[in-house]
Amino acid sequence: MQIVIIGSGNVAFHLAKAFVLNDIPLAQIFGRNEKELNQISSALKIPYSTEKLKDADLYIVCVSDNSVENVSQLITKKDSLVAHTSGSLPKEILTGEYRKSIFYPLQTFSKSKELEYEKIPFFIEAENEEDKKFLFEIASKISGNVMESTYEKRKYIHLTAVFACNFVNHLFSRAKEISDSQEIPFEYFLPLIDETVQKIHEIDPKSAQTGPAVRNDKRILELHEQLLKDESLEIYKTMNHSIQKMYEL
């Protein structure tokens, strides 16, 4: 079984690493960024190329959503199985005359951050049961959390991830702006952040909500608004309004 990963970014790196650590052989990692590919190749001992795409049985396309369609046109082997890793695109975005599928890892990836691959959920879609079973087996070698999905369900999975990860991280960035403005080390807030995240492993997020909005503490809400301006003020008002609406306050 010849497997090729296409891409040189965060997802490509971590997926390649997960394969190597779980003894799933990779024939090649292919892309256009030679510097990044060389680093991945050196770290993981995988052949790479920026010019010739190797014949393979399975190609996994790990590129940005805007590039998936164009990159998929590079694959010309008609009897191959091709999967992309996007959370928001249908498998039909893959435009070649090959079997199309999805191999979606639900995680945020940064090359500098170690991950526990065995905990990452993988969502699988394919055009036939045989390919679905094959992808399921590969994902199961990496993780204990593998689930069959559909495009309709995956759209909501990705939307949930944006709320739970991207929006939350943006709020961390806004919070750090406030602490930096007052020369308060942001590291002092990390125990609070860690406890907040750990709490929802045990308690439903709605039940775990604390703060002035859920207490309907108008004095504190008004005080905070006086300390903020521009986008941060708008975010503060919007978030408090959403909290109070959820709790019918």
Side-chain angles (χ1 to χ4, degrees):
M1 175 60 63
Q2 298 285 296
I3 303 174
V4 169
I5 287 179
I6 300 177
S8 58
N10 294 331
V11 177
F13 168 73
H14 277 289
L15 204 55
K17 186 177 179 180
F19 274 50
V20 169
L21 290 176
N22 289 280
D23 298 319
I24 305 170
L26 291 172
Q28 183 189 58
I29 183 163
F30 178 88
R32 62 186 179 184
N33 190 323
E34 184 158 10
K35 180 181 178 181
E36 295 293 334
L37 288 172
N38 186 47
Q39 290 177 351
I40 296 171
S41 176
S42 298
L44 302 177
K45 312 303 180 190
I46 304 167
Y48 81 90
S49 178
T50 60
E51 298 177 358
K52 184 173 175 56
L53 183 62
K54 188 169 183 174
D55 277 354
D57 304 291
L58 170 63
Y59 295 92
I60 303 180
V61 180
C62 307
V63 298
S64 67
D65 284 8
N66 291 335
S67 301
V68 170
E69 183 173 3
N70 288 337
V71 169
S72 73
Q73 295 172 12
L74 300 174
I75 303 168
T76 57
K77 189 178 179 185
K78 293 184 179 181
D79 61 344
S80 63
L81 174 62
V82 180
H84 73 65
T85 57
S86 168
S88 58
L89 297 176
K91 60 182 179 294
E92 289 76 19
I93 197 73
L94 301 165
T95 58
E97 295 182 45
Y98 40 66
R99 306 188 313 280
K100 301 170 177 64
S101 61
I102 301 296
F103 195 78
Y104 172 46
L106 179 61
Q107 186 53 276
T108 176
F109 295 98
S110 297
K111 287 182 181 177
S112 60
K113 179 69 171 63
E114 294 287 334
L115 291 172
E116 296 179 271
Y117 299 116
E118 67 275 9
K119 294 182 179 180
I120 297 175
F122 282 81
F123 295 91
I124 303 301
E125 298 169 39
E127 294 177 328
N128 62 65
E129 289 301 319
E130 185 177 348
D131 288 339
K132 196 180 298 179
K133 181 180 178 182
F134 171 63
L135 292 174
F136 201 99
E137 288 175 353
I138 290 178
S140 296
K141 290 182 180 180
I142 300 171
S143 170
N145 300 313
V146 185
M147 180 178 174
E148 182 182 338
S149 186
T150 64
Y151 178 48
E152 287 303 312
K153 181 170 287 188
R154 185 162 43 87
K155 285 189 289 187
Y156 284 97
I157 293 168
H158 190 248
L159 175 61
T160 303
V162 168
F163 270 80
C165 173
N166 305 133
F167 288 175
V168 170
N169 189 72
H170 179 67
L171 291 176
F172 291 155
S173 298
R174 288 295 186 183
K176 189 174 185 299
E177 286 181 345
I178 296 170
S179 68
D180 287 350
S181 74
Q182 300 301 310
E183 298 182 350
I184 304 167
F186 187 67
E187 290 74 16
Y188 283 26
F189 297 90
L190 295 181
L192 173 65
I193 294 170
D194 291 343
E195 176 61 21
T196 302
V197 173
Q198 187 58 40
K199 191 185 295 185
I200 62 171
H201 284 260
E202 303 172 16
I203 305 173
D204 183 273
K206 187 174 181 180
S207 300
Q209 187 70 50
T210 61
V214 76
R215 296 195 305 268
N216 198 25
D217 190 332
K218 295 180 180 179
R219 184 183 67 84
I220 296 296
L221 293 173
E222 290 175 1
L223 172 62
H224 286 173
E225 288 180 10
Q226 293 171 12
L227 300 175
L228 296 168
K229 60 182 180 179
D230 302 329
E231 287 183 49
S232 292
L233 177 58
E234 291 305 310
I235 292 170
Y236 187 82
K237 288 181 176 180
T238 299
M239 293 297 294
N240 284 326
H241 175 73
S242 180
I243 291 170
Q244 293 187 321
K245 187 173 181 181
M246 175 175 280
Y247 295 89
E248 299 179 347
L249 297 174

